[in-house]
Amino acid sequence: MRILIVEDDEDLARQLQGALDDAGYTYDYAADGEEGHFLGDTEPYDAIILDIGLPIMDGLSVLEKWRQDGHKTPVLLLTARDSWTDKVAGLDAGADDYLAKPFKMEELLARLRALIRRSSGNASSELTCGNVRLDTRNAKVTFDGQAVKLTAQEFKLLAYMMHHKGQVISRTELTEHIYDQDFDRDSNTIEVFVNRIRKKIDAPLIQTVRGLGYRLDDPEE
Ligand code: CA
């Protein structure tokens, strides 16, 4: 899952980056509204954390522009404390949720999980496929009840597939959702990761769809 952070407060941005890293997300970062708007317009994110008060272009204008252009990426808006007008304006501009500063990082992560879950059509924070379970709350995976050790990249890849179970996902799509914009992307490494994951879980769960990509098949559905 790849997240965009648009926040001009450097300390807070650093805290957000650390928390997202620890929670198993990939992220890109913009410190002003113009760059933030550009990234959200051109890169595929699973969710966006957007501050309202930003240099060059304010957060509400950024959000309105994205929505006018048809971008449906879930947006969590960071508002000033006690500003109910910000919250109302934010929701009207197309925000999916908001959080007033200062906030607890745990709450931000929980709201982010909920946004990603809803936009991918999953009701529970625990995703299952056959005997594989992925708990999005602690980024842990089990197979047949046993903990599965995954590298950070393997986890990101499996988490994306678990959120989009039953759908054909191309290597390009996987690449875009597990690497940030600065990473030297090579979609051939996706196959390596998929094969490593197959060795750690019930291998037939990840089907290769010739010429198209991969699909996570749930034998119980
Ligand atoms: Ca700000």
Side-chain angles (χ1 to χ4, degrees):
M1 296 290 145
R2 184 172 167 204
I3 314 293
L4 173 63
I5 305 167
V6 192
E7 168 61 72
D8 60 322
D9 178 333
E10 282 183 20
D11 282 343
L12 179 55
R14 219 170 294 125
Q15 289 171 38
L16 286 166
Q17 291 170 24
L20 292 185
D21 244 345
D22 291 346
Y25 296 103
T26 294
Y27 62 80
D28 289 323
Y29 167 61
D32 67 68
E34 190 176 54
E35 195 195 349
H37 172 266
F38 174 76
L39 286 174
D41 196 35
T42 53
E43 295 286 330
Y45 294 102
D46 296 295
I48 297 172
I49 300 167
L50 177 67
D51 186 29
I52 284 197
L54 290 169
I56 308 179
M57 193 194 292
D58 71 273
L60 287 180
S61 304
V62 170
L63 179 56
E64 276 169 356
K65 247 179 136 207
W66 282 335
R67 294 308 187 226
Q68 276 163 14
D69 292 337
H71 294 299
K72 297 190 177 77
T73 315
V75 170
L76 173 61
L77 206 61
L78 303 182
T79 68
R81 187 164 52 133
D82 297 333
S83 173
W84 67 267
T85 49
D86 272 4
K87 294 167 191 164
V88 171
L91 292 170
D92 282 341
D96 298 271
D97 198 3
Y98 61 80
L99 196 53
K101 294 179 181 179
F103 52 82
K104 290 265 180 234
M105 207 49 86
E106 288 81 359
E107 183 177 359
L108 177 130
L109 290 172
R111 289 183 181 277
L112 202 58
R113 285 195 294 274
L115 285 184
I116 292 172
R117 198 161 71 211
R118 276 194 301 246
S119 76
S120 60
N122 290 286
S124 163
S125 53
E126 194 174 65
L127 308 174
T128 63
C129 183
N131 291 337
V132 179
R133 284 174 182 273
L134 186 146
D135 192 336
T136 59
R137 290 165 297 188
N138 55 17
K140 293 265 188 316
V141 176
T142 62
F143 173 56
D144 273 343
Q146 302 289 315
V148 178
K149 276 208 176 128
L150 298 171
T151 64
Q153 299 299 20
E154 289 166 5
F155 174 81
K156 287 173 184 178
L157 198 150
L158 184 61
Y160 190 79
M161 295 202 85
M162 293 284 280
H163 276 89
H164 300 90
K165 191 168 75 170
Q167 299 170 19
V168 177
I169 308 168
S170 70
R171 284 187 202 177
T172 306
E173 183 177 345
L174 284 168
T175 307
E176 284 175 341
H177 287 269
I178 70 170
Y179 294 126
D180 61 54
Q181 60 163 350
D182 297 328
F183 197 89
D184 185 16
R185 293 172 191 169
D186 175 4
S187 63
N188 289 322
T189 57
I190 296 293
E191 195 178 336
V192 177
F193 289 144
V194 166
N195 286 329
R196 282 196 212 144
I197 297 170
R198 279 177 172 147
K199 287 185 185 134
K200 298 179 181 184
I201 62 168
D202 190 8
L205 289 179
I206 305 181
Q207 294 286 321
T208 299
V209 185
R210 198 180 284 267
L212 295 175
Y214 302 98
R215 190 182 57 229
L216 196 62
D217 279 338
D218 195 334
E220 284 150 37
E221 283 175 9

